Amino acid sequence: MNAQQITIKGKVIDFDSKKPVEYATIILQTDDSLFIKGTTSGLNGDFILNNLGENNYRIVVHSVGYDTLSIDLFNVFKAIDLGSLMINQKTTLLSEVIVQSSSVIEGSYRKLYYPTKEQIVKSINGLQLTQRLLLPQIFVNTQTGQILYTGEKKLKILINGIEALSQEVIGIQPENIIRIDYYENPGMRYGEDIGIILDFIVKQRTNGAFFSANIRETLTHNFTYGQLSGGINYGKSQIKFYYFLSHNDIETSSFKHQTFLFPSGNTISRNEYGEKNWWKETTKMPNISYSYYGKKNTFNMKTNFNSLFQPHDDHEGKILIPEIDRLTNYKIQNKEQTFRPSIDIYFTRQISDNHLIALNVVGTYSKNTVDYIYNETDEDEIISNITTLVDGKRSSLIGEIFYERKYGENLLSVGLRHIQGYTKNNYSGTSIFKTQLHDAFSYGFLQYKGKIKKLNYTGNIGIHRSFFNQEGIANMYSRWMISPMVNINYILSNVLSLRYSYQLKNINPSLSYLSEVERLRNSYQLDKGNPLLKSYLMHHNELRISFNPSPLRSSLVLSSSYYNSPIMEETSFDNYRDIFITTYNNQKKFHQLRFQYNIGVSLFNNHISINSYGGYNKIVSQGHNYEHRRDEWFYLLQTIADYKKLSLTITMVHLPQPFWGESVSKGSSYNEYILSYRLPKMQLGIISTNLFGEKNRKYTYNFSALTRFKNMQNNVKMFPSFGIYGSINLTWGKQNNEKKQKINNLDSENGILL
């Protein structure tokens, strides 16, 4: 674009009265404050600056009786509409303006992140562009193509307001991403456990087609993931498809030391030497969707055909019991398969500029099978032979209606949601059980977002009813609950803000935990469901201090999560059956204190981008018969270095290991190195994980006084690994802006006790 085509325009508005400010002085400077040109606002507060070249700029707005407003614009390369610039006599405020730069623009409800021209050019897909934007508490896992949230809650990904998988972001052309809307603590409107929403605002094509493909192939062991997406546009309609494939075929070895403490005082130690652990899994996530974007109506229908096929999660080796000097052979064969088709229908009507109503209906059917075989032999003698075969089906229907109204900068949202489900699981083999579960969940919420000068606030109240009924079990579960949530954000300056949030959440028991089912693990222990479980409350408090002077983005987070009567595991010994039983019960409490510091920075004219965080967890898990305390440090460092068409990405990860009840799950710790080269519409690269032999072991712990164990998985056969990566993105056709979907639902329950 040549210099004569670049313009910067906007409108100066009085913050209190919302009226235009006439004859305000607008000065355009370089980023080091050298004067370029000036103008004044018109009768409607409008102004325009023409004939500008590509550069970094500073806009300074003066008016008698008002504070001075200064806005930095970095890497301006095309026309900019700043929107409404709010000024008043007491403080300088900037509402949700539109700025084509990499600066953080913070408004009442969200932060807007605009990619620079350099960031777009250096990225081959939307995933890489997300990396370079250095979004707070967001980590891009290049191993799986996922965008992850580093906080305690969940991340929701939207593309033009329509819920999407994070892998689908790979298929977006970087130049088609207008901006990313970043919602922090979005409230009950999007669900009680959502911490961050990323909404990718993407240009919608009015004709032509698009296609993208990405593949990652590990050469040293069998690990592959790939993605295909494409579509056709015609006027206001779009038909598109998406297909994601992940395949793993991995062999490892392991060592597990477990101690069984009997009431008599006798102790048995089992040392399991896993000489061959074989994990083979294929995940497929295809979908086809149709969208219509009218002037006031939006319609979207998506069909999903997700499937998981795990023919092998097998373990083979020897078991040594020193107390009785016994050495036996064991073999575990575990096969799982899930097919989950669903259809998602969405409709919205824009009644007026300030009124919107939306409807969402999701129907899901799930078919699940599990085959588990455990054999333990001593020469020709069979010590243990356990078989569990599960055939499960679940069908559910989710319906939601949502209404939204704007009052100036304030927003009122009201919604109703109902989920109706039926689950039937048949267990055969060593133990025979049949479970039929009816469940229903009704939920209504009221949410109000407002702004008082430098204070943004969100108030939420939710009322919901949970219902569970298992056929053949006299106990029926039904409970009403009220869940409040509040979020307050105080903008101290253009670069400093303080945020506090509180949530009281009701958590229902998992369907699988409620099943009256037993599953033998081995000859010493079994797992058992508990239909008498009750829902429990979680109190979450969070304080966040954000400091974002360009080019630095940072935040300090202090949080507390307190669970009252949480559902956690417990182990007891059944003297009559002479076996240890692990089940689930409402325990006393679980409390986690978390400290986390996030920092992102671009250096040397964006040639080096660093996104990192580090933190500390302090956890207390208290049951009726146990109390465990755990302290843990965690960190992540991701660095991207660019030189011409070459890019080097280094990721060092030690994520928190999930701890709940008496168990610590395997954490995700690895180092990854990617060297890539950009071609027109294409990128090729080489990948290595744990190149220097680090992080080749993973550990799992259980701290039960009766059945404690420590398990070590040795991955020396996998690392260091080497692989290749390729990506291509092609588009044809014109573009316009796409409307946004407001409601997104899904069902992932299966009710199987594993």
Side-chain angles (χ1 to χ4, degrees):
M1 181 176 287
N2 58 49
Q4 284 69 35
Q5 293 176 304
I6 297 181
T7 61
I8 299 176
K9 65 180 181 179
K11 178 182 288 190
V12 184
I13 300 293
D14 184 286
F15 181 82
D16 293 320
S17 67
K18 304 300 186 291
K19 294 181 179 180
V21 178
E22 304 173 7
Y23 307 114
T25 301
I26 293 90
I27 297 175
L28 181 69
Q29 303 174 343
T30 63
D31 56 353
D32 54 0
S33 300
L34 294 177
F35 177 84
I36 299 176
K37 62 173 59 179
T39 186
T40 58
S41 60
L43 297 178
N44 294 323
D46 298 314
F47 68 89
I48 187 168
L49 298 164
N50 294 309
N51 302 324
L52 305 177
E54 298 185 4
N55 207 340
N56 298 331
Y57 293 112
R58 176 172 296 153
I59 298 287
V60 181
V61 181
H62 297 280
S63 186
V64 177
Y66 293 88
D67 286 341
T68 298
L69 176 62
S70 178
I71 307 168
D72 289 326
L73 310 177
F74 298 100
N75 303 309
V76 174
F77 65 95
K78 59 182 177 180
I80 294 175
D81 184 352
L82 293 173
S84 297
L85 305 184
M86 300 289 186
I87 60 174
N88 66 21
Q89 295 181 357
K90 294 183 179 180
T91 187
T92 299
L93 290 180
L94 177 63
S95 65
E96 288 180 355
V97 299
I98 298 177
V99 179
Q100 299 290 350
S101 75
S102 61
S103 300
V104 182
I105 307 302
E106 183 162 356
S108 301
Y109 316 133
R110 58 188 172 175
K111 295 179 181 179
L112 313 182
Y113 289 84
Y114 286 85
T116 66
K117 183 178 180 180
E118 285 186 352
Q119 290 169 337
I120 291 172
V121 169
K122 292 175 182 178
S123 305
I124 193 64
N125 55 47
L127 200 67
Q128 291 185 5
L129 184 60
T130 304
Q131 278 184 301
R132 287 185 164 86
L133 282 172
L134 305 178
L135 303 176
Q137 299 190 94
I138 296 300
F139 160 56
V140 175
N141 187 335
T142 53
Q143 287 192 333
T144 60
Q146 290 180 298
I147 302 173
L148 304 175
Y149 171 47
T150 63
E152 297 176 69
K153 296 185 180 182
K154 296 180 181 179
L155 170 71
K156 185 183 287 290
I157 299 292
L158 310 178
I159 299 177
N160 288 322
I162 299 174
E163 186 170 355
L165 300 169
S166 58
Q167 290 93 338
E168 292 183 61
V169 177
I170 303 175
I172 305 175
Q173 283 266 359
E175 59 267 28
N176 289 342
I177 296 178
I178 302 171
R179 69 176 190 270
I180 298 178
D181 291 359
Y182 182 99
Y183 296 83
E184 193 172 37
N185 293 320
M188 292 183 178
R189 165 64 199 89
Y190 296 95
E192 292 184 282
D193 57 350
I194 303 299
I196 295 290
I197 290 177
L198 298 183
D199 193 355
F200 291 78
I201 308 304
V202 180
K203 298 174 184 177
Q204 165 67 15
R205 299 186 175 274
T206 57
N207 60 38
F210 58 94
F211 174 79
S212 72
N214 298 269
I215 188 169
R216 170 177 174 149
E217 179 70 42
T218 302
L219 304 176
T220 48
H221 63 269
N222 198 333
F223 169 69
T224 303
Y225 84 75
Q227 167 266 334
L228 294 174
S229 62
I232 299 174
N233 308 281
Y234 182 76
K236 299 177 181 180
S237 296
Q238 180 189 77
I239 298 176
K240 64 180 180 181
F241 75 91
Y242 172 80
Y243 182 81
F244 176 83
L245 171 69
S246 174
H247 176 72
N248 297 274
D249 192 346
I250 296 170
E251 287 190 16
T252 62
S253 59
S254 64
F255 172 74
K256 180 179 179 180
H257 174 73
Q258 185 166 19
T259 302
F260 295 95
L261 178 61
F262 291 85
S264 61
N266 293 333
T267 299
I268 290 182
S269 299
R270 279 169 54 103
N271 296 322
E272 297 184 9
Y273 299 89
E275 299 168 349
K276 180 182 179 182
N277 300 329
W278 183 16
W279 178 47
K280 185 175 182 179
E281 179 183 272
T282 301
T283 301
K284 299 177 182 179
M285 294 186 291
N287 66 58
I288 302 173
S289 65
Y290 168 78
S291 300
Y292 173 82
Y293 301 95
K295 186 176 181 180
K296 293 195 173 186
N297 298 331
T298 301
F299 175 79
N300 178 266
M301 182 173 67
K302 179 189 288 188
T303 54
N304 300 283
F305 305 94
N306 297 343
S307 67
L308 169 68
F309 180 48
Q310 186 184 81
H312 299 282
D313 184 7
D314 303 340
H315 305 264
E316 186 175 344
K318 299 183 183 299
I319 297 175
L320 173 64
I321 302 178
E323 287 82 0
I324 57 177
D325 194 25
R326 171 183 285 177
L327 182 65
T328 61
N329 298 311
Y330 78 95
K331 186 175 183 180
I332 299 173
Q333 295 173 280
N334 194 19
K335 176 182 177 181
E336 295 185 27
Q337 189 166 4
T338 299
F339 177 58
R340 182 176 288 120
S342 65
I343 183 167
D344 185 334
I345 299 174
Y346 165 79
F347 174 78
T348 183
R349 170 75 175 176
Q350 190 76 45
I351 301 171
S352 69
D353 291 341
N354 297 320
H355 295 256
L356 178 141
I357 189 167
L359 177 68
N360 186 217
V361 178
V362 179
T364 305
Y365 174 78
S366 181
K367 169 69 173 175
N368 310 279
T369 59
V370 177
D371 297 345
Y372 175 84
I373 301 174
Y374 177 88
N375 288 304
E376 187 179 342
T377 59
D378 182 2
E379 295 181 351
D380 295 331
E381 180 185 357
I382 298 177
I383 305 299
S384 181
N385 185 10
I386 301 169
T387 300
T388 301
L389 307 176
V390 186
D391 183 11
K393 300 179 180 67
R394 174 172 171 81
S395 56
S396 68
L397 185 66
I398 305 174
E400 182 177 4
I401 186 168
F402 166 68
Y403 173 77
E404 180 179 275
R405 173 156 187 178
K406 295 181 180 178
Y407 298 91
E409 291 191 78
N410 301 330
L411 183 67
L412 175 69
S413 304
V414 181
L416 294 172
R417 181 188 306 133
H418 181 75
I419 304 172
Q420 191 74 39
Y422 173 70
T423 305
K424 182 178 180 180
N425 294 321
N426 293 324
Y427 296 76
S428 59
T430 306
S431 301
I432 299 175
F433 295 93
K434 291 185 178 181
T435 64
Q436 297 184 61
L437 294 167
H438 297 267
D439 61 283
F441 180 78
S442 301
Y443 176 64
F445 73 90
L446 175 67
Q447 177 174 293
Y448 188 80
K449 295 185 177 182
K451 185 173 185 179
I452 304 175
K453 295 185 178 180
K454 294 190 293 183
L455 182 70
N456 301 322
Y457 62 89
T458 302
N460 307 261
I461 186 71
I463 301 175
H464 46 84
R465 175 183 180 264
S466 303
F467 170 83
F468 300 100
N469 183 33
Q470 181 173 340
E471 293 187 12
I473 304 297
N475 181 62
M476 182 182 70
Y477 176 81
S478 179
R479 186 171 183 179
W480 288 87
M481 284 297 301
I482 298 177
S483 298
M485 183 188 300
V486 64
N487 182 48
I488 301 172
N489 185 38
Y490 188 75
I491 302 175
L492 298 168
S493 70
N494 290 335
V495 298
L496 184 64
S497 64
L498 182 66
R499 181 186 297 270
Y500 168 75
S501 63
Y502 168 76
Q503 178 183 6
L504 175 64
K505 180 183 177 183
N506 179 71
I507 302 176
N508 291 308
S510 166
L511 293 181
S512 60
Y513 292 172
L514 288 167
S515 301
E516 184 63 70
V517 171
E518 293 183 356
R519 284 194 62 181
L520 281 167
R521 288 193 204 175
N522 50 53
S523 55
Y524 291 96
Q525 60 188 140
L526 62 81
D527 297 322
K528 183 178 181 180
N530 182 3
L532 301 179
L533 294 173
K534 304 296 183 183
S535 64
Y536 57 96
L537 295 176
M538 185 271 287
H539 301 265
H540 181 78
N541 289 273
E542 183 174 295
L543 180 66
R544 180 187 308 276
I545 303 172
S546 299
F547 182 58
N548 298 308
S550 183
L552 179 70
R553 294 172 186 168
S554 65
S555 63
L556 176 65
V557 182
L558 302 173
S559 66
S560 168
S561 297
Y562 181 85
Y563 300 81
N564 186 35
S565 299
I567 296 173
M568 300 190 298
E569 65 188 286
E570 66 178 22
T571 301
S572 60
F573 185 77
D574 189 323
N575 288 289
Y576 178 75
R577 300 169 64 181
D578 194 30
I579 197 166
F580 292 92
I581 298 177
T582 298
T583 187
Y584 299 90
N585 208 343
N586 290 93
Q587 306 294 340
K588 290 185 178 180
K589 70 175 184 179
F590 183 91
H591 191 196
Q592 175 175 288
L593 294 174
R594 186 184 184 101
F595 160 86
Q596 183 171 318
Y597 181 68
N598 312 282
I599 184 170
V601 62
S602 294
L603 304 172
F604 307 110
N605 198 24
N606 294 324
H607 286 295
I608 295 181
S609 299
I610 301 173
N611 197 13
S612 66
Y613 69 85
Y616 173 78
N617 278 337
K618 186 174 185 63
I619 299 173
V620 177
S621 177
Q622 186 174 359
H624 296 298
N625 301 309
Y626 60 81
E627 180 175 330
H628 303 297
R629 298 177 181 269
R630 181 171 175 83
D631 301 281
E632 180 184 31
W633 291 93
F634 56 89
Y635 65 85
L636 178 144
L637 175 63
Q638 190 169 74
T639 303
I640 306 174
D642 295 297
Y643 178 73
K644 295 183 178 180
K645 295 184 178 182
L646 285 171
S647 294
L648 174 64
T649 302
I650 300 176
T651 304
M652 299 180 180
V653 178
H654 178 69
L655 298 180
Q657 293 186 328
F659 179 44
W660 187 253
E662 298 196 276
S663 299
V664 177
S665 302
K666 294 177 182 177
S668 179
S669 299
Y670 63 90
N671 293 351
E672 183 181 68
Y673 313 87
I674 302 176
L675 180 64
S676 60
Y677 182 79
R678 294 189 308 277
L679 297 166
K681 302 294 183 181
M682 183 183 297
Q683 187 178 61
L684 300 174
I686 55 175
I687 303 170
S688 179
T689 303
N690 295 344
L691 177 62
F692 302 104
E694 66 273 40
K695 304 181 188 303
N696 282 338
R697 295 182 178 182
K698 293 184 178 180
Y699 295 89
T700 304
Y701 303 91
N702 182 277
F703 303 109
S704 169
L706 300 180
T707 60
R708 70 176 62 238
F709 70 78
K710 175 182 178 181
N711 185 57
M712 183 273 291
Q713 179 178 302
N714 193 344
N715 298 323
V716 293
K717 294 182 179 180
M718 296 172 55
F719 304 121
S721 69
F722 297 92
I724 56 175
Y725 168 80
S727 180
I728 184 171
N729 266 307
L730 303 173
T731 57
W732 307 266
K734 298 180 180 179
Q735 302 171 344
N736 62 8
N737 291 336
E738 189 170 329
K739 293 187 178 180
K740 300 174 65 176
Q741 178 168 326
K742 300 292 184 178
I743 294 178
N744 311 278
N745 292 294
L746 58 86
D747 178 34
S748 57
E749 280 278 12
N750 60 32
I752 295 177
L753 180 68
L754 296 176

